[in-house]
Amino acid sequence: MGIDHDTLVGFAKSWGLFYLIAFSIAVLVYTFWPSNRKRFDRAKKSILEDDDRPKNGGSGEK
């Protein structure tokens, strides 16, 4: 018994959705895990604090 295209398509259609749902739940759990709050708060603030002026004093040089 070989694995043909229809078998692979059927497997992907039936288990791919469950895989994506499980992966989404894992990402949400990681994001809202209480011990990760400081990390995400620091990342949120560092974007605004570090890029408040142009590089090299705004002279246009790279």
Side-chain angles (χ1 to χ4, degrees):
M1 179 176 159
I3 298 174
D4 59 347
H5 181 265
D6 291 335
T7 303
L8 290 176
V9 169
F11 180 79
K13 283 183 177 179
S14 54
W15 292 104
L17 178 64
F18 294 118
Y19 168 75
L20 289 176
I21 290 171
F23 187 72
S24 300
I25 290 171
V27 168
L28 287 174
V29 167
Y30 176 76
T31 303
F32 291 107
W33 199 260
S35 64
N36 292 331
R37 184 180 178 100
K38 282 184 177 181
R39 179 183 307 161
F40 287 116
D41 283 343
R42 187 177 58 228
K44 179 178 72 176
K45 292 175 183 174
S46 69
I47 293 172
L48 299 175
E49 291 174 357
D50 294 341
D51 291 335
D52 60 346
R53 61 182 94 109
K55 268 186 169 178
N56 300 326
S59 63
E61 298 176 7
K62 289 187 177 183

